[in-house]
Amino acid sequence: MAQPFAKKDDDRDEEAEYSPFLGIEKGAVLQEARVFHDPQLDPRRCSQVITKLLYLLNQGETFTKVEATEVFFAVTKLFQSRDIGLRRMVYLMIKEISPSSDEVIMVTSSLMKDMTSRTDVYRANAIRVLCQITDGTLLGQIERYLKQAIVDKNPVVASAALVSGIHILQTNPEIVKRWSNEVQEAVQSRAALVQFHALALLHQIRQNDRLAVSKLVTSLTRGTVRSPLAQCLLVRYASQVIRESANNFQTGERPFYDYLESCLRHKSEMVILEAARAITELSGVTNRELTPAITVLQLFLSSSKPVLRFAAVRTLNKVAMTHPMAVTNCNIDMESLISDQNRSIATLAITTLLKTGNESSVDRLMKQITNFMSDIADEFKIVVVEAIRSLCIKFPLKYRSLMNFLSNILREEGGFEYKKAIVDSIVILIRDIQEAKEIGLLHLCEFIEDCEFTYLSTQILHFLGIEGPKTADPSKFIRYIYNRVHLENATVRACAVTTLAKFGATVDSLKPRIIVLLRRCLFDSDDEVRDRATLYLNTLGADGSVAETDNDVKEFLFDSLDIPLVNLETSLRNYEPSDQPFDINSVPKEIKAQPLAEKKAPGKKPIGLGAPPTAPSAAVDAYDKLLSSIPEFASYGKLFKSSAPVELTEAETEYAVNVVKHIFDHHVLFQYNCTNTIPEQLLENVTVVVDASEAEEFSEVASKPLKSLPYDSPGQTFVAFEKTDGVPAVGKFSNVLKFIVKEVDPTTGEAEEDGVEDEYQLEDLEVVAADYMQKVGVSNFRNAWESMDPEGERVDEYGLGSRESLAEAVNAVVNLLGMQPCEGTEAVPSNSRSHTCLLSGVFIGNVKVLVRLSFGISGQNEVAMKLAVRSEDENVSNTIHEIVASG
Amino acid sequence: MELCPSVKNVLLLDSEGNRIAAKYYCDDWPTNSTKEAFEKAVFTKTQKTNARTEAEIAMIENNVVVYKFVQNLHFFVTGGEDENELILATVVQGFSDAVGILLSTCSRGQVDKREALENLDLILMCLDEIVDGGIILETDPNVIAGKIASQSLDAGGPLSEQTISQALATAREHLTRSLLK
């Protein structure tokens, strides 16, 4: 990094490659910095050396602590010089080094002198430097000067003080808040940027006081804010006030809408854009409110400035998601943007058109897009493909031309992500549009004939195995699949073998031929391929002897493993070879809640071929081990589910207790995790006395006290209840912690002989229906739903009363049931009036349950819900309804 | 919620993507290598475009990047995903024009990479005058250049050494000052 410009092609034009920093080296520059100590300072020379130091830092070079300190002390000497240019460089250097607080003292007095200097440039810069490097302690000393500077008649000085104020507010708000009067005066300044900075600071000072912000906005929207930047700020503040007061007005005019609308006629484009965007983002915006904003954005579309076109089309694209009809007026302008030089603009235009287009314009649009696709980068193509997918779902009748388009682009050159997006789209169309199934599958078959991505080939083969046998003529797919066994790498070959077996198992007429093909695979060079072929030949009953029953075969081939792979892996690792075979039913099925960060990461839902995310459940494993090691509870059988710990005490009390609810078929076991936070006490014989009078269906059967609980080393005590087999009994339990307290001598750490009996009231604990439900996802909800017996479906409607929002209602029901939301349906788009949420789970007794929730919300926020349940057991379906009815 | 328009970084690269000067105002790119990776992404995505007459724009890593090219100097300003594009455009315009004014008053009077490196002090001061800790300080190129030119003139050699354009800049500076008062 020291010589970034040193190693360039030598044949290049010397003139162009000349750099004053050629061969620059940190050590040498640090040596040069000695000139700062000269008694006769040469300002020009010193400036040059500082420039070199700044250059090094700017290129990513770092100084060690010692080097930085040395440079800093040397630089402080330069305050002697009266050269303005040099002084500016000194300011820059000090900011760049960001000295430690004891070093700051060295320059404080010099900077304070500059702050009160008569030279404006000194004042402005010294303020910014000092405020950047100083800590709170020094602020008191300079506060007086800063307040003066805010109302300084030189706008540069005022701005410097205001901007510094904005930065200081983050660390020392109480000081900056005292400047309110001065800042308010500065808001009236005639200098544009001073007004902008003052407004920003004033708002930040008052941001926690809604009323004050509202007043500020009201007064300023009436007055004249001159600076366009300040006007933009005001637009943002106004829309914030509108958002926060959203609940207070139900009918009539929206406050500040007139102001926003008037900003659409501002002379500065940046204000117009800000206002137009603010209007389009108003919650529950009406078409009448939207129209003027759309009109100005439409004008921007034909601007000569790319930035303006981009901003307009980007905003319209967002509007098209919620109000496609409002944007249709701009379609003609948008179509001309397809040929825009800037490909970002063109892509945004296309995707907007796809959202707003009607059924009749699809064909014309597709023609335009075909030309366009050849000359854009993959990342834009993906966006277009996704837009086409949603268009096709919107207009299923147009599937033919859209499917053709997708298959055409599938044949063209492209990277993995792009191809995957196309394949995903085709897969979704096949699933959602019955008529498109056959043609879509054939397109996919053709694609894998010449596909360079193993991942995509295997995914398509898997998908073919599920969908192919359901078509009218499954035999025509066999050729494509069997070709893979000849032509591809081992991974794809193995996958093709599985797909063949699936055809064989489902289509009886094909079975003999499939068996012939599988036999040939027995001679494959790869172990996995041969193993699979052997396995499937046996399951299909090729040797005629031990053929499994039809159902078993299908279950084995088609049912997705309902165990998270990570859990299976840990269980297999823990399995020790013995006489007892590995029991797959012993693997815990619970998926632990995913960390939020992971879900947020790329912002895309897992759709198409993506399998549902699985996460480790180390905690469940640990509980299982712990409980089975306690003889009293070992007989309870397999642990069904363990809840997350529920706190039974406030934070920072004498004794911290939380409880984990373990659910078994016949029993419920409470594990109380206790921590003693008093160093002077030793607790012995700790138990929890549980009053189950409000939980009639439970009867206490056992408890396991904790012998001793010393300071700060957590221990557990258990209480077990019996309940009726498989029934999701609910109830409320009140708990009292009982124990014997012994004083501990803090010096010796020894406890006294005699203890006193004592008790400690804990909070109540509830066992709820959700405790009997495991969160287990399914990979394809639709398939899973259809494979369940529709006869056993239970449907009913419920009124949920007045709710804050649709999302809140959905969330409440999901939490009540404790089930796993599928396909990202737990997220409710803002502004939507109805929503469908898909849930899956395993109920106690290992009964698979699927739930389809349809919500609707009325103008008065009354929420109604239709609940459809399918499960392997009708009683369970009824139970789910009972849970909702009583919840 | 942060409502104040903010700038994430201001970059000046050469026509091969090397950094001439750069200033980062947020923690999105904590190390020099992440900074260089971002600069590389920005450079490769924009190098084929023509951003000479009007500023151009692109979305890069969920940021809005507005950029402008002058000779072999590439100016970039990055803002958050939802930032007002036109505000960022004003900043990049102010930056590139101010650098243009400043460099044309220098010895060779060329606005190019060599001149920029030879007068890196001016470029760095220019950055310092445009954005302070992510907050836009000034966007008028004449005012920015004026703040810097005035002091290099005060400190500069005898008047005879000043070129005509330098004199012009001084005049312009005095004009803007009187306008501001």
Side-chain angles (χ1 to χ4, degrees):
Chain A
M1 256 336 289
Q3 308 114 325
F5 293 100
K7 41 178 196 316
K8 285 284 155 58
D9 296 352
D10 290 336
D11 354 320
R12 283 189 151 257
D13 186 6
E14 246 179 61
E15 174 80 9
E17 281 313 307
Y18 166 79
S19 158
F21 301 106
L22 201 67
I24 189 169
E25 210 258 315
K26 182 172 85 169
V29 180
L30 288 173
Q31 288 288 318
E32 275 187 73
R34 288 189 179 162
V35 296
F36 299 164
H37 296 287
D38 279 357
Q40 290 295 314
L41 282 174
D42 175 355
R44 183 154 293 191
R45 179 100 209 281
C46 292
S47 279
Q48 282 168 356
V49 176
I50 294 185
T51 309
K52 283 185 188 173
L53 289 167
L54 288 172
Y55 172 81
L56 287 172
L57 288 170
N58 215 298
Q59 292 296 326
E61 183 74 74
T62 48
F63 291 167
T64 64
K65 187 82 195 74
V66 177
E67 285 166 348
T69 310
E70 230 161 70
V71 169
F72 177 75
F73 280 121
V75 165
T76 56
K77 301 264 189 225
L78 300 179
F79 274 104
Q80 290 167 25
S81 165
R82 305 190 51 80
D83 183 283
I84 299 186
L86 178 58
R87 184 66 58 89
R88 294 275 340 242
M89 296 310 282
V90 170
Y91 293 145
L92 281 185
M93 195 66 217
I94 293 176
K95 278 204 265 191
E96 211 57 54
I97 295 180
S98 49
S100 61
S101 54
D102 47 333
E103 289 168 350
V104 169
I105 297 166
M106 302 288 303
V107 286
T108 311
S109 62
S110 306
L111 285 171
M112 275 170 65
K113 209 171 118 209
D114 285 359
M115 247 173 86
T116 49
S117 144
R118 288 221 295 227
T119 316
D120 294 341
V121 184
Y122 279 1
R123 285 214 303 283
N125 279 290
I127 288 171
R128 284 168 56 204
V129 176
L130 197 53
C131 290
Q132 188 183 324
I133 60 174
T134 190
D135 55 3
T137 51
L138 197 65
L139 276 176
Q141 289 181 49
I142 58 170
E143 190 185 349
R144 190 161 56 92
Y145 302 112
L146 289 175
K147 276 162 108 170
Q148 269 169 23
I150 288 174
V151 288
D152 196 293
K153 67 180 193 308
N154 183 305
V156 182
V157 176
S159 277
L162 288 163
V163 171
S164 299
I166 296 175
H167 294 314
I168 297 172
L169 190 72
Q170 315 301 327
T171 48
N172 290 290
E174 65 292 339
I175 292 183
V176 183
K177 279 182 182 153
R178 294 201 291 259
W179 309 348
S180 213
N181 287 336
E182 285 77 11
V183 179
Q184 212 151 3
E185 195 181 325
V187 172
Q188 305 302 328
S189 163
R190 299 175 57 84
L193 279 142
V194 174
Q195 194 171 45
F196 164 59
H197 295 133
L199 181 56
L201 181 55
L202 191 59
H203 179 263
Q204 288 200 8
I205 291 175
R206 297 185 178 171
Q207 61 185 347
N208 294 323
D209 183 352
R210 275 195 199 180
L211 195 66
V213 172
S214 175
K215 270 188 192 157
L216 174 70
V217 174
T218 313
S219 70
L220 285 177
T221 48
R222 287 202 205 105
T224 47
V225 176
R226 275 171 300 275
S227 143
L229 276 172
Q231 197 70 258
C232 284
L233 265 186
L234 194 53
V235 168
R236 290 185 190 187
Y237 298 156
S239 31
Q240 188 193 29
V241 173
I242 295 177
R243 252 197 316 280
E244 282 170 358
S245 64
N247 300 326
N248 300 339
F249 78 100
Q250 292 291 336
T251 52
E253 282 298 297
R254 203 188 282 274
F256 300 120
Y257 175 78
D258 286 342
Y259 164 69
L260 292 181
E261 206 256 349
S262 73
C263 284
L264 295 175
R265 293 183 295 276
H266 198 274
K267 60 182 187 303
S268 161
E269 283 161 343
M270 87 171 54
V271 178
I272 301 179
L273 174 69
E274 193 70 49
R277 203 167 267 176
I279 290 178
T280 62
E281 284 168 4
L282 291 173
S283 74
V285 64
T286 63
N287 276 332
R288 196 172 59 83
E289 288 170 322
L290 263 180
T291 313
I294 303 282
T295 312
V296 296
L297 290 171
Q298 185 174 7
L299 286 176
F300 283 178
L301 287 180
S302 44
S303 159
S304 64
K305 294 181 188 160
V307 175
L308 207 48
R309 294 198 299 273
F310 177 89
V313 74
R314 189 155 82 114
T315 314
L316 289 171
N317 188 306
K318 267 192 196 150
V319 178
M321 288 183 198
T322 47
H323 297 81
M325 292 316 289
V327 186
T328 43
N329 280 341
C330 313
N331 278 5
I332 295 177
D333 307 79
M334 212 91 80
E335 276 182 37
S336 59
L337 288 183
I338 295 180
S339 53
D340 200 297
Q341 286 279 316
N342 185 320
R343 302 281 78 183
S344 304
I345 296 177
T347 313
L348 282 167
I350 289 247
T351 49
T352 314
L353 282 170
L354 289 175
K355 282 173 201 154
T356 59
N358 51 27
E359 197 145 1
S360 57
S361 65
V362 168
D363 290 311
R364 190 165 49 93
L365 212 51
M366 296 316 290
K367 206 171 276 173
Q368 276 176 309
I369 296 176
T370 315
N371 299 331
F372 166 80
M373 286 300 265
S374 52
D375 58 19
I376 53 171
D378 270 12
E379 54 163 322
F380 295 134
K381 290 181 184 170
I382 293 174
V383 179
V384 175
V385 166
E386 277 163 6
I388 287 183
R389 171 170 69 209
S390 30
L391 182 70
C392 194
I393 290 171
K394 202 162 121 202
F395 302 123
L397 288 177
K398 287 286 167 197
Y399 77 89
R400 204 172 286 275
S401 64
L402 293 170
M403 192 66 107
N404 272 335
F405 175 80
L406 288 176
S407 76
N408 281 336
I409 55 174
L410 193 54
R411 263 179 245 128
E412 279 158 21
E413 284 295 300
F416 172 71
E417 289 298 332
Y418 174 43
K419 289 287 161 93
K420 183 168 179 300
I422 304 174
V423 171
D424 278 352
S425 298
I426 296 184
V427 165
I428 286 176
L429 297 189
I430 292 175
R431 272 187 196 154
D432 286 4
I433 304 171
Q434 201 57 35
E435 300 79 26
K437 182 173 282 184
E438 192 113 3
I439 158 171
L441 286 177
L442 280 172
H443 283 316
L444 290 179
C445 280
E446 250 157 54
F447 173 60
I448 54 171
E449 288 278 52
D450 183 24
C451 169
E452 55 189 309
F453 306 109
T454 301
Y455 175 82
L456 288 181
S457 291
T458 53
Q459 296 290 308
I460 290 175
L461 282 169
H462 174 77
F463 185 66
L464 263 180
I466 297 169
E467 294 293 338
K470 295 183 197 160
T471 54
D473 181 13
S475 64
K476 65 182 166 198
F477 300 110
I478 302 296
R479 179 173 61 91
Y480 295 103
I481 302 167
Y482 190 61
N483 278 348
R484 305 277 72 71
V485 180
H486 285 300
L487 303 169
E488 300 280 355
N489 60 40
T491 315
V492 180
R493 290 204 302 274
C495 193
V497 167
T498 309
T499 308
L500 283 176
K502 284 181 182 167
F503 274 81
T506 335
V507 188
D508 279 337
S509 58
L510 286 176
K511 197 165 168 181
R513 282 143 77 191
I514 297 279
I515 288 176
V516 174
L517 293 177
L518 285 179
R519 283 222 173 91
R520 288 192 200 153
C521 301
L522 290 175
F523 303 103
D524 197 282
S525 58
D526 183 76
D527 290 349
E528 169 82 17
V529 180
R530 285 198 309 274
D531 286 353
R532 284 198 188 194
T534 315
L535 172 69
Y536 295 133
L537 279 172
N538 276 319
T539 44
L540 289 178
D543 47 7
S545 54
V546 283
E548 315 258 345
T549 64
D550 245 19
N551 263 344
D552 283 349
V553 175
K554 278 186 192 158
E555 214 168 272
F556 173 64
L557 279 169
F558 289 101
D559 274 12
S560 55
L561 201 58
D562 53 358
I563 301 167
L565 289 180
V566 193
N567 296 4
L568 182 60
E569 190 186 334
T570 14
S571 299
L572 282 169
R573 275 182 204 280
N574 295 339
Y575 174 70
E576 281 160 18
S578 65
D579 293 340
Q580 219 166 27
F582 179 77
D583 180 9
I584 199 157
N585 291 323
S586 67
V587 181
K589 291 180 182 169
E590 182 79 350
I591 302 174
K592 252 185 54 179
Q594 276 197 298
L596 215 62
E598 200 177 320
K599 267 189 191 161
K600 272 187 178 170
K604 276 188 190 158
K605 307 189 271 187
I607 36 172
L609 296 166
T614 52
S617 60
V620 177
D621 271 359
Y623 286 138
D624 209 6
K625 258 189 201 154
L626 173 76
L627 297 180
S628 52
S629 67
I630 303 171
E632 286 96 319
F633 311 128
S635 64
Y636 289 177
K638 201 178 107 50
L639 176 61
F640 177 76
K641 177 178 174 169
S642 300
S643 74
V646 182
E647 296 296 334
L648 296 182
T649 51
E650 304 277 328
E652 292 165 29
T653 45
E654 299 96 309
Y655 314 111
V657 180
N658 65 42
V659 65
V660 177
K661 298 173 272 186
H662 300 293
I663 311 287
F664 296 88
D665 272 353
H666 291 274
H667 297 91
V668 173
L669 177 63
F670 298 143
Q671 172 187 338
Y672 296 90
N673 300 311
C674 314
T675 313
N676 172 9
T677 61
I678 307 176
E680 297 83 21
Q681 284 189 358
L682 169 73
L683 307 188
E684 284 188 350
N685 206 10
V686 182
T687 54
V688 177
V689 178
V690 183
D691 175 8
S693 54
E694 284 181 71
E696 289 158 1
E697 290 168 85
F698 295 88
S699 55
E700 188 172 332
V701 288
S703 68
K704 186 173 185 297
L706 178 61
K707 282 217 179 69
S708 114
L709 182 65
Y711 165 65
D712 206 24
S713 65
Q716 294 103 20
T717 163
F718 297 88
V719 180
F721 286 87
E722 200 172 43
K723 62 171 189 65
T724 327
D725 193 6
V727 171
V730 296
K732 201 176 192 183
F733 302 83
S734 52
N735 311 294
V736 179
L737 192 68
K738 283 209 168 168
F739 45 82
I740 295 167
V741 176
K742 289 188 173 172
E743 294 290 321
V744 173
D745 186 335
T747 48
T748 61
E750 275 173 33
E752 284 174 19
E753 283 292 301
D754 302 318
V756 188
E757 233 177 85
D758 200 358
E759 56 180 53
Y760 188 79
Q761 184 68 42
L762 302 176
E763 282 173 35
D764 291 351
L765 160 71
E766 269 190 281
V767 171
V768 294
D771 288 327
Y772 297 98
M773 184 70 78
Q774 286 182 356
K775 281 189 176 182
V776 177
V778 288
S779 53
N780 181 340
F781 189 88
R782 194 187 156 104
N783 276 358
W785 180 263
E786 275 165 10
S787 67
M788 292 259 195
D789 181 16
E791 289 294 305
E793 182 172 324
R794 292 285 180 273
V795 187
D796 208 347
E797 287 177 12
Y798 299 89
L800 302 183
S802 182
R803 291 281 173 169
E804 203 171 288
S805 69
L806 200 53
E808 189 264 335
V810 172
N811 202 8
V813 178
V814 172
N815 284 337
L816 176 67
L817 292 174
M819 297 175 76
Q820 174 77 37
C822 299
E823 299 171 15
T825 52
E826 74 272 32
V828 183
S830 61
N831 287 343
S832 59
R833 313 300 296 169
S834 65
H835 184 72
T836 300
C837 183
L838 309 173
L839 303 173
S840 93
V842 171
F843 200 65
I844 188 153
N846 273 334
V847 183
K848 223 188 254 175
V849 187
L850 297 174
V851 166
R852 197 185 273 255
L853 297 166
S854 311
F855 292 86
I857 188 163
S858 76
Q860 285 76 44
N861 280 0
E862 290 282 334
V863 177
M865 172 182 78
K866 186 174 143 190
L867 168 72
V869 190
R870 286 190 184 184
S871 79
E872 291 161 343
D873 182 345
E874 283 177 27
N875 293 329
V876 172
S877 300
N878 292 332
T879 313
I880 300 289
H881 275 283
E882 279 161 28
I883 293 172
V884 173
S886 59
Chain B
M1 196 178 82
E2 187 56 63
L3 290 172
C4 192
S6 63
V7 174
K8 286 190 172 184
N9 65 40
V10 181
L11 313 173
L12 174 56
L13 308 180
D14 70 6
S15 55
E16 282 157 23
N18 298 308
R19 185 191 297 167
I20 294 174
K23 202 84 183 123
Y24 287 78
Y25 306 102
C26 69
D27 307 327
D28 290 5
W29 302 276
T31 63
N32 191 49
S33 53
T34 50
K35 290 185 176 106
E36 282 177 344
F38 177 74
E39 285 161 29
K40 189 161 188 292
V42 166
F43 179 76
T44 39
K45 282 209 177 179
T46 58
Q47 71 183 123
K48 291 208 183 80
T49 54
N50 181 7
R52 295 188 184 271
T53 45
E54 290 286 354
E56 276 285 352
I57 185 163
M59 293 291 292
I60 294 165
E61 295 173 10
N62 283 328
N63 290 302
V64 178
V65 179
V66 183
Y67 54 101
K68 189 144 196 293
F69 301 160
V70 180
Q71 301 281 9
N72 51 5
L73 295 175
H74 292 199
F75 299 86
F76 301 90
V77 170
T78 308
E81 193 177 10
D82 298 320
E83 196 48 83
N84 184 325
E85 294 89 343
L86 295 173
I87 293 181
L88 298 176
T90 325
V91 178
V92 83
Q93 195 72 45
F95 182 31
S96 61
D97 286 356
V99 168
I101 295 171
L102 286 169
L103 291 187
S104 58
T105 63
C106 292
S107 54
R108 276 166 61 247
Q110 297 284 322
V111 183
D112 60 11
K113 175 187 165 187
R114 178 179 162 188
E115 197 75 69
L117 283 171
E118 280 180 349
N119 297 283
L120 192 69
D121 49 346
L122 297 184
I123 309 274
L124 293 173
M125 281 193 237
C126 198
L127 280 170
D128 185 56
E129 291 292 353
I130 293 174
V131 179
D132 182 295
I135 299 171
I136 298 161
L137 208 52
E138 178 58 78
T139 56
D140 183 332
N142 292 313
V143 178
I144 298 166
K147 283 200 234 174
I148 295 156
S150 64
Q151 61 213 33
S152 56
L153 285 186
D154 292 348
L159 204 66
S160 59
E161 271 180 35
Q162 289 186 16
T163 59
I164 298 209
S165 48
Q166 248 171 329
L168 270 176
T170 327
R172 208 187 278 132
E173 150 73 3
H174 287 306
L175 189 66
T176 40
R177 287 208 152 187
S178 53
L179 279 177
L180 277 171
K181 273 169 189 166

Coordinates of all heavy atoms in Angstrom, one line a residue, chain A residues 311-322 327 334 347-353 355-356 383:
Chain A
A311 N -34.6 9.0 -10.5 CA -35.4 9.3 -9.3 C -36.9 9.1 -9.5 O -37.6 8.5 -8.8 CB -35.1 10.7 -8.8
A312 N -37.3 9.6 -10.7 CA -38.7 9.6 -11.0 C -39.2 8.1 -11.2 O -40.2 7.7 -10.7 CB -39.0 10.4 -12.2
V313 N -38.5 7.4 -12.0 CA -38.9 6.1 -12.4 C -38.8 5.2 -11.2 O -39.6 4.3 -10.9 CB -38.1 5.5 -13.6 CG1 -36.7 5.1 -13.2 CG2 -38.9 4.3 -14.2
R314 N -37.8 5.4 -10.3 CA -37.7 4.6 -9.1 C -38.9 4.8 -8.2 O -39.5 3.9 -7.6 CB -36.4 5.0 -8.3 CG -36.1 4.1 -7.2 CD -34.6 4.1 -6.9 NE -34.2 5.2 -6.1 CZ -33.7 5.1 -4.8 NH1 -33.6 3.9 -4.3 NH2 -33.4 6.1 -4.2
T315 N -39.3 6.1 -8.1 CA -40.5 6.4 -7.2 C -41.7 5.8 -7.8 O -42.5 5.2 -7.1 CB -40.7 7.9 -7.1 OG1 -39.4 8.5 -6.8 CG2 -41.6 8.3 -6.0
L316 N -41.9 5.9 -9.1 CA -43.1 5.4 -9.8 C -43.1 3.9 -9.7 O -44.2 3.3 -9.5 CB -43.1 5.8 -11.3 CG -43.4 7.3 -11.5 CD1 -43.2 7.6 -12.9 CD2 -44.8 7.6 -11.0
N317 N -42.0 3.3 -9.7 CA -41.9 1.8 -9.6 C -42.5 1.4 -8.2 O -43.2 0.4 -8.1 CB -40.4 1.4 -9.7 CG -40.3 -0.1 -9.8 OD1 -40.7 -0.8 -8.9 ND2 -39.6 -0.6 -10.8
K318 N -42.1 2.1 -7.2 CA -42.6 1.8 -5.9 C -44.1 2.0 -5.8 O -44.9 1.2 -5.2 CB -42.0 2.7 -4.8 CG -40.7 2.0 -4.2 CD -40.3 2.8 -3.0 CE -38.9 2.4 -2.6 NZ -38.2 3.4 -1.9
V319 N -44.6 3.1 -6.4 CA -46.0 3.4 -6.4 C -46.8 2.3 -7.1 O -47.9 1.8 -6.7 CB -46.3 4.7 -7.1 CG1 -47.8 5.0 -7.1 CG2 -45.6 5.9 -6.4
A320 N -46.2 1.7 -8.2 CA -46.9 0.7 -9.0 C -47.1 -0.5 -8.2 O -48.0 -1.3 -8.5 CB -46.0 0.4 -10.2
M321 N -46.4 -0.8 -7.1 CA -46.6 -2.0 -6.3 C -47.9 -1.9 -5.6 O -48.6 -2.9 -5.4 CB -45.5 -2.1 -5.3 CG -44.2 -2.5 -5.9 SD -43.0 -2.8 -4.5 CE -41.5 -2.7 -5.5
T322 N -48.3 -0.7 -5.1 CA -49.5 -0.5 -4.4 C -50.7 0.1 -5.2 O -51.8 -0.3 -5.0 CB -49.3 0.3 -3.1 OG1 -48.6 1.5 -3.5 CG2 -48.5 -0.4 -2.1
V327 N -50.3 4.8 -12.0 CA -49.1 5.0 -12.8 C -49.3 4.8 -14.3 O -48.5 5.2 -15.1 CB -48.0 4.0 -12.3 CG1 -46.7 4.3 -12.9 CG2 -47.9 4.2 -10.8
M334 N -42.7 5.9 -20.1 CA -41.9 4.8 -19.5 C -41.4 3.9 -20.6 O -40.3 3.4 -20.6 CB -42.8 4.0 -18.6 CG -42.1 3.4 -17.4 SD -42.1 4.5 -16.0 CE -43.7 4.2 -15.4
T347 N -34.2 -0.7 -16.7 CA -34.7 -1.8 -15.9 C -35.9 -1.4 -15.1 O -36.9 -2.1 -15.0 CB -33.6 -2.5 -15.1 OG1 -32.5 -2.6 -15.9 CG2 -34.1 -3.8 -14.5
L348 N -35.7 -0.3 -14.4 CA -36.8 0.2 -13.5 C -38.1 0.4 -14.4 O -39.2 0.1 -14.0 CB -36.4 1.4 -12.8 CG -35.5 1.2 -11.6 CD1 -34.9 2.5 -11.1 CD2 -36.3 0.6 -10.4
A349 N -37.8 1.0 -15.6 CA -39.0 1.3 -16.4 C -39.7 0.0 -16.8 O -40.9 -0.1 -16.8 CB -38.5 2.1 -17.7
I350 N -38.9 -1.0 -17.2 CA -39.5 -2.3 -17.7 C -40.3 -2.9 -16.5 O -41.5 -3.3 -16.7 CB -38.4 -3.3 -18.1 CG1 -37.8 -2.8 -19.4 CG2 -39.0 -4.7 -18.1 CD1 -38.0 -3.7 -20.5
T351 N -39.7 -3.0 -15.3 CA -40.4 -3.6 -14.3 C -41.6 -2.8 -13.9 O -42.7 -3.4 -13.5 CB -39.5 -3.8 -13.1 OG1 -38.8 -2.6 -12.8 CG2 -38.4 -4.9 -13.4
T352 N -41.6 -1.5 -14.0 CA -42.8 -0.7 -13.7 C -43.9 -1.1 -14.7 O -45.0 -1.3 -14.3 CB -42.5 0.8 -13.7 OG1 -41.3 1.0 -13.0 CG2 -43.6 1.6 -13.1
L353 N -43.5 -1.1 -15.9 CA -44.5 -1.4 -17.0 C -45.1 -2.8 -16.8 O -46.3 -3.0 -16.9 CB -43.8 -1.4 -18.4 CG -43.5 0.0 -18.9 CD1 -42.6 0.0 -20.2 CD2 -44.9 0.7 -19.3
K355 N -45.6 -4.1 -14.0 CA -46.6 -4.1 -12.9 C -47.9 -3.4 -13.3 O -48.9 -3.7 -12.8 CB -45.9 -3.3 -11.8 CG -45.0 -4.2 -11.0 CD -44.2 -3.4 -9.9 CE -43.0 -4.0 -9.5 NZ -42.0 -3.1 -9.0
T356 N -47.8 -2.4 -14.2 CA -48.9 -1.6 -14.5 C -49.7 -2.1 -15.8 O -50.8 -1.8 -16.0 CB -48.6 -0.2 -14.7 OG1 -47.6 -0.1 -15.8 CG2 -47.9 0.4 -13.5
V383 N -34.0 -9.0 -12.1 CA -35.1 -8.2 -11.7 C -36.3 -8.3 -12.7 O -37.4 -8.4 -12.3 CB -34.6 -6.7 -11.6 CG1 -35.8 -5.8 -11.2 CG2 -33.5 -6.6 -10.7

